[in-house]
Amino acid sequence: MTFDDSRTGERPQQAVPPSKEKDGRDDEQPTVRTYPTPAPQNAGPGQPASLTELLPPPPVPPSITGLTTPPAPGISAETRAAVSASDAGFPRRPSAGIPTPDAVEAVGQAAVLQRAFNNYGEQIGTKYVYEQTLDSHAPISPEYLAVVREVYAEPHHREGRLAPSPFKQALEVLRAASSVLVISRPPNSSRTFTAYALFAHLLDDGVITEVRPLSFGGSKYFPTRRLPHDRHCGYLLELPPDEDDFAVDDSFGGNLNKLVERLQRRDCRLIVLTRPEQWRRISHGAPPGVAPDLGVVRPRDIGERWLLAQEADLPAATWLDHKNIKPLIGSQAPTDVLNLVYLMLEQHRAAQSAAPADAAPEQTLRQKQESSPRLTFEKQVSNVVAAHSNWEDALYLWHEPEGRARTSFERNFLLAAAVLRGDPVGHVYAKAAELTQQLDDVPVEVEGQREPGVIAMTRAVEARREDDGTLTFTRPHWDDAVIEYFWNDRPLARTTFLGWLAHAPVSDTSASKEALEIISKDGRLALAERVGQFALKWAVRHRRQTPLERIVEEWYKHGTTKELWPLAVDLLDSAAIHAASAPYIHSMLLAWSSRSQPHLQRVVIEVCTGAFGRRHTAKALRRLRNVAAQGRPDVIDTLREGLLHDRVTAGFMQPRLRVGS
């Protein structure tokens, strides 16, 4: 695939017939395809859509590519491999087939910002988002699109059941070569997921051979010649949001006519993602009906599609229509529905794996000792409802028991066990003592027998000590809820807690060494991932930079050549392109770019020359200019190295960013 990265958007005439266009802006109006007159504009923030936006995914890792099944038996191989009549040299891409439940779960986990410490930060989906390199020009994998096609819940009919759904109408429009569709919705309202669902159907039907995201570039114009020269492609172009000194030019809507002409030559389709306020400003002159209303989808439909795609034998209707679950779904946003889906799946699987009635006596005895009887359906529902509310009532009863008061060490042991889940209990014990000293300025002598021991503390926090020396909780997401409870209950302790949290993955305490339970390097990295995700969640939710700033500062001290610093950079780079967190992270990076602290300037450089820079080039340029304006020699060297290392980003930035020699 070839791109033109020239400043004007023009390239030497080769395979393309001569054109009069200048930077994609002239008065020529070619013939364009007309669209149905749009209904009222797309769903607003208060209306449920189909699913939260997903990252344009990288090529699917082996853990996902191996999870798809062959095409359905009823579809012949000849049909799947047919040659398109429109172009003898255009082979239809074989269908990715029906995705397996594991593939669906991987994509579903990637669709939402993860709970802070879910499964030790090791889910396939978490890795899928946070560890894979995002290439803004790489094709979207057909396996990923197959999952989207499987789980996408179409909007309901506005004009009666006999009329085609808005989604199907848009799909029919896109079947024609040179079609352009604008999805004008706020962030986190299914813009990207809807676009991929449309493309997934076109790919499965052989209308296109691949789907590619397009980078808008660093200019306020999108020249028509920036469209690649490939044939039979579906392109996804996300317009950068307006910022103080950058905005997409008002002529964009009119220039869609030139894009239509260019798409026609190569039998391609284009979907543009924008925001309602931006589209109102730039839509003048656009083809009629190019931004139709795509309707809204019922939250229950979202839940049902995702549940059945992962557990075909799960009684989805029984779950979704239960009197205690139904109010939780109501008019929930898609992300909240998906979180409920995974709570239901966890409880269903826990019940399936519980010991059966005819289990061996020793297994039944162990269950009884652990106070974990087999889960009835009503108990599963109860756990989901409690987990959805972060177990606040149950945690209050634990923290404030009748007839006695919890000690500070007990409270901190519970908090440390929640943060350090999966670490040896001796390490948790030592870190709880350290946290108690930092929060209360009271030393806890855990080396001798003065304080309650590990067994007493484990029972006090109602945990279970496993054979490998780790602690587990039987209630779903109890550890996440513990941290939420502390954060809400002790606001004046947050700063101290963040300092302890940021330092937790750096090194072992002397006490844990004495316990001969030193946390391994892999354990520290897993802990660092959980800590980073917790800081990210709280920074975004509460619009506070402090949690992430403490992480960056502490891990910078540890050394930029050591393993924690790349984790900090990857965390922010991923968050800067994830729809749920991007708006706040963008503003945070802008603020950091004008501050003089070297750790903040360095992380801005590395993020702006990474995936964020490739997707939001204009924004990255602005932040890099601010960093360069500080004039620190070490920072300038880092900036120069970053541009040389990332050739894709440098191709956009170097003509526009002058770095002092």
Side-chain angles (χ1 to χ4, degrees):
M1 183 172 70
T2 56
F3 284 87
D4 170 37
D5 295 326
S6 64
R7 302 184 68 174
T8 63
E10 298 297 326
R11 65 183 297 116
Q13 302 297 328
Q14 297 174 356
V16 182
S19 173
K20 298 178 182 179
E21 57 195 352
K22 298 177 181 179
D23 202 24
R25 294 167 284 150
D26 59 17
D27 297 327
E28 181 182 355
Q29 296 295 325
T31 302
V32 300
R33 178 174 175 81
T34 59
Y35 296 77
T37 302
Q41 193 47 264
N42 287 293
Q47 294 175 290
S50 177
L51 183 67
T52 186
E53 287 187 79
L54 301 181
L55 294 176
V60 173
S63 58
I64 295 181
T65 46
L67 297 177
T68 52
T69 58
I75 303 175
S76 68
E78 290 78 14
T79 300
R80 293 292 185 184
V83 177
S84 172
S86 64
D87 187 345
F90 167 36
R92 295 180 68 175
R93 177 187 290 276
S95 170
I98 301 174
T100 65
D102 287 342
V104 174
E105 183 162 1
V107 174
Q109 293 287 1
V112 293
L113 280 178
Q114 294 298 299
R115 290 175 176 267
F117 309 102
N118 222 9
N119 288 357
Y120 309 91
E122 291 294 324
Q123 296 135 308
I124 291 176
T126 304
K127 290 181 174 292
Y128 184 55
V129 171
Y130 290 103
E131 295 183 6
Q132 296 295 322
T133 301
L134 177 66
D135 185 346
S136 59
H137 304 312
I140 306 304
S141 76
E143 291 82 9
Y144 173 88
L145 293 171
V147 172
V148 174
R149 189 182 70 246
E150 181 74 11
V151 301
Y152 184 77
E154 292 187 18
H156 63 275
H157 301 276
R158 291 184 182 274
E159 302 173 359
R161 295 185 178 277
L162 297 179
S165 70
F167 180 86
K168 284 187 169 60
Q169 293 181 42
L171 183 60
E172 289 307 310
V173 166
L174 285 170
R175 291 186 185 279
S178 78
S179 299
V180 176
L181 178 73
V182 174
I183 300 180
S184 174
R185 282 178 171 169
N188 305 324
S189 59
S190 298
R191 300 183 310 170
T192 309
F193 200 71
T194 298
Y196 283 142
L198 290 164
F199 279 143
H201 282 280
L202 296 180
L203 185 69
D204 190 56
D205 293 342
V207 177
I208 56 177
T209 57
E210 64 182 13
V211 179
R212 289 178 180 268
L214 293 179
S215 172
F216 188 85
S219 169
K220 65 178 181 178
Y221 304 104
F222 185 80
T224 59
R225 292 189 180 278
R226 179 160 295 157
L227 284 175
H229 291 179
D230 302 78
R231 298 179 62 81
H232 313 294
C233 284
Y235 295 118
L236 181 63
L237 173 65
E238 180 181 357
L239 301 187
D242 298 338
E243 219 169 47
D244 293 343
D245 59 354
F246 175 84
V248 176
D249 192 75
D250 292 351
S251 63
F252 180 84
N255 291 336
L256 286 178
N257 296 287
K258 296 296 290 184
L259 290 176
V260 167
E261 180 187 29
R262 193 71 173 232
L263 292 165
Q264 177 72 48
R265 299 176 190 171
R266 296 177 176 83
D267 194 12
C268 294
R269 287 90 181 145
L270 172 68
I271 296 180
V272 179
L273 304 181
T274 181
R275 293 166 165 81
E277 64 278 7
Q278 185 181 56
W279 182 242
R280 283 192 291 270
R281 180 178 62 80
I282 66 175
S283 60
H284 179 71
V290 73
D293 174 27
L294 295 180
V296 295
V297 70
R298 298 181 181 91
R300 188 190 184 284
D301 294 344
I302 300 173
E304 186 172 44
R305 293 297 293 265
W306 281 93
L307 282 170
L308 294 179
Q310 295 172 80
E311 293 285 348
D313 62 341
L314 184 144
T318 305
W319 270 102
L320 296 170
D321 296 331
H322 191 280
K323 62 180 181 179
N324 294 335
I325 297 293
K326 198 171 182 179
L328 299 183
I329 295 178
S331 59
Q332 291 288 313
T335 303
D336 296 326
V337 174
L338 199 54
N339 279 326
L340 277 169
V341 162
Y342 283 107
L343 286 173
M344 288 185 271
L345 283 171
E346 287 175 16
Q347 286 300 288
H348 174 74
R349 291 166 179 171
Q352 295 292 100
S353 62
D358 57 349
E362 60 272 15
Q363 190 174 2
T364 304
L365 178 61
R366 178 180 174 84
Q367 257 192 351
K368 187 174 181 180
Q369 290 174 338
E370 293 170 351
S371 300
S372 55
R374 188 176 184 183
L375 287 171
T376 65
F377 179 71
E378 289 301 322
K379 181 61 177 175
Q380 296 172 49
V381 170
S382 175
N383 283 344
V384 167
V385 172
H388 184 260
S389 63
N390 283 318
W391 293 98
E392 185 170 306
D393 291 341
L395 280 166
Y396 172 76
L397 292 176
W398 185 89
H399 280 82
E400 309 294 340
E402 292 186 12
R404 58 159 296 192
R406 291 287 181 192
T407 67
S408 178
F409 189 38
E410 285 178 325
R411 293 169 182 253
N412 290 326
F413 187 85
L414 175 64
L415 184 58
V419 171
L420 305 172
R421 192 174 73 176
D423 290 354
V425 66
H427 182 72
V428 173
Y429 188 66
K431 297 299 285 186
E434 179 184 296
L435 180 59
T436 302
Q437 183 165 358
Q438 291 184 17
L439 288 177
D440 301 323
D441 197 24
V442 175
V444 179
E445 299 179 9
V446 292
E447 291 84 358
Q449 296 200 58
R450 177 177 176 177
E451 304 293 344
V454 165
I455 295 175
M457 297 305 297
T458 300
R459 296 190 178 187
V461 300
E462 302 174 15
R464 184 174 68 220
R465 199 171 71 259
E466 303 290 358
D467 294 337
D468 61 358
T470 60
L471 298 179
T472 59
F473 297 102
T474 58
R475 292 165 170 166
H477 301 290
W478 176 260
D479 31 19
D480 297 336
V482 166
I483 301 164
E484 290 268 347
Y485 189 94
F486 168 81
W487 192 269
N488 294 323
D489 192 46
R490 304 288 170 172
L492 299 184
R494 291 173 183 171
T495 300
T496 303
F497 173 67
L498 285 174
W500 175 85
L501 193 69
H503 187 74
V506 173
S507 61
D508 290 312
T509 62
S510 59
S512 64
K513 292 179 181 179
E514 289 292 329
L516 305 179
E517 291 184 355
I518 302 174
I519 184 173
S520 67
K521 178 181 178 180
D522 289 342
R524 287 194 300 108
L525 292 178
L527 173 59
E529 289 183 0
R530 300 196 299 276
V531 166
Q533 290 174 35
F534 173 79
L536 171 64
K537 181 178 69 172
W538 277 100
V540 171
R541 179 181 298 177
H542 297 285
R543 296 297 193 260
R544 293 289 184 270
Q545 301 176 13
T546 306
L548 288 172
E549 191 172 331
R550 292 301 299 269
I551 295 292
V552 170
E553 181 180 12
E554 188 67 42
W555 294 359
Y556 180 82
K557 292 177 185 177
H558 186 58
T560 57
T561 60
K562 296 185 179 179
E563 63 275 1
L564 292 183
W565 180 253
L567 285 178
V569 174
D570 290 346
L571 175 76
L572 291 175
D573 200 16
S574 298
I577 56 177
H578 195 298
S581 54
Y584 178 71
I585 298 300
H586 292 185
S587 63
M588 186 187 75
L589 291 172
L590 182 61
W592 285 5
S593 68
S594 298
R595 292 173 59 180
S596 60
Q597 290 96 323
H599 59 280
L600 298 181
Q601 293 191 351
R602 172 138 188 171
V603 80
V604 169
I605 290 172
E606 295 197 35
V607 170
C608 287
T609 54
F612 168 69
R614 294 194 291 275
R615 286 201 61 196
H616 302 284
T617 311
K619 286 192 168 191
L621 279 168
R622 181 185 181 191
R623 287 148 182 77
L624 290 175
R625 288 194 194 102
N626 290 347
V627 170
Q630 302 291 327
R632 295 177 59 99
D634 55 335
V635 172
I636 297 298
D637 290 342
T638 301
L639 175 55
R640 188 179 293 109
E641 291 172 6
L643 290 175
L644 291 175
H645 180 265
D646 193 321
R647 298 181 182 274
V648 176
T649 307
F652 285 118
M653 294 184 177
Q654 283 179 333
R656 304 175 179 86
L657 178 67
R658 294 184 179 275
V659 180
S661 59

